[in-house]
Amino acid sequence: MTATLRLTSPPEMGPGGRHLVLDCLHGTTYLDQLVPPRGSRVILSERAMIAMAVDKHEAEEGCGCARDLTGGQSADSLKVSARADSASVTGS
Ligand SMILES: [Zn+2]
């Protein structure tokens, strides 16, 4: 089974804002990155966002469909570095 991933930059989120949708037969996971407040220079890499979305999806659905999306990368290491950042990441 396969999950699909869409990463967009909706104009209403402002420059740097990202909206990620991870969809599979079992459910859909959303992850937004808002523009960091002034003074913060940290933006999550797309790879880190994907790793976080995959983890969130698997926590919610537990179906394993999204695992392949990390391309064998260690989601844990990406997640740890993402947590160390001060970027604002919120789920829905
Ligand atoms: Zn699934």
Side-chain angles (χ1 to χ4, degrees), residues 11-80:
E12 63 268 27
M13 288 179 70
R18 298 275 183 80
H19 179 63
L20 186 155
V21 180
L22 203 173
D23 188 35
C24 84
L25 288 175
H26 309 97
T28 304
T29 298
Y30 302 94
L31 187 72
D32 289 337
Q33 172 171 260
L34 305 177
V35 181
R38 206 185 320 177
S40 169
R41 282 163 286 142
V42 179
I43 303 273
L44 287 177
S45 70
E46 289 187 4
R47 207 179 277 174
M49 277 193 76
I50 292 168
M52 291 173 74
V54 167
D55 274 9
K56 190 181 171 198
H57 183 80
E58 295 306 331
E60 289 172 353
E61 308 297 335
C63 57
C65 297
R67 288 277 174 224
D68 288 347
L69 294 172
T70 51
Q73 288 273 328
S74 164
D76 281 343
S77 65
L78 288 167
K79 201 169 52 171
V80 166

